[in-house]
């Protein structure tokens, strides 16, 4: 569907800030993912609310602390973030968004016992780097 130009400008407004990719990856590793949970949870509030079910930082982070529900919510949290980043790419006509399949694969492998011990230390930092790189591209491509 076509978006009116005044709506497009409104949807392109974000409060995102540039952050070094290497810094995001290192903080993710050193804090065992806690930095990423909080930083990217807050990022949910820095995107414009386009869909009625787009959520804020409070919901994004808070639901991750509900036992068992967080197994489901981590998929919602990370995939919605990727969708919101990729929408910003589309609005800005930037090619090659954040690969949703990589994030989904990492989340699936992350809930499989024992396999997660082998994959998460490798795939999670890669995903954080890819996501932060995507956010940085949005920040540097403002109209």
């Amino acid at each position: 569907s076509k978006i009116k130009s005044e709506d497009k400008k409104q949807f392109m407004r974000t409060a995102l800030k540039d952050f070094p990719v290497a810094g995001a990856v290192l903080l993710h590793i050193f804090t065992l993912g806690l930095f990423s949970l909080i930083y990217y949870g807050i990022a949910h509030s820095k995107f414009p609310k386009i869909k009625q079910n787009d959520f804020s930082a409070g919901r994004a982070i808070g639901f991750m602390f509900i036992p068992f529900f967080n197994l489901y919510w981590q998929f919602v949290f990370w995939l919605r973030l990727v969708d919101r980043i990729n929408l910003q790419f589309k609005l800005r006509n930037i090619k090659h968004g954040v690969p949703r399949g990589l994030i989904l694969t990492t989340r699936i492998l992350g809930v499989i016992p024992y396999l997660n011990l082998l994959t998460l230390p490798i795939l999670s930092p890669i995903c954080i780097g890819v996501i932060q790189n995507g956010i940085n591209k949005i920040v540097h491509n403002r109209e």
Side-chain angles (χ1 to χ4, degrees), residues 66-83:
I66 300 172
F68 302 111
F69 182 76
N70 62 359
L71 295 174
Y72 158 76
W73 189 251
Q74 68 178 315
F75 288 92
V76 175
F77 178 103
W78 290 107
L79 295 176
R80 183 75 57 86
L81 182 63
V82 169
D83 290 344

Side-chain angles (χ1 to χ4, degrees), residues 88-107:
Q88 293 298 316
F89 271 48
K90 189 174 183 179
L91 292 172
R92 290 168 169 75
N93 295 319
I94 303 172
K95 303 283 187 230
H96 310 297
V98 175
R100 196 174 199 274
L102 173 65
I103 308 305
L104 179 60
T105 301
T106 302
R107 296 293 50 148

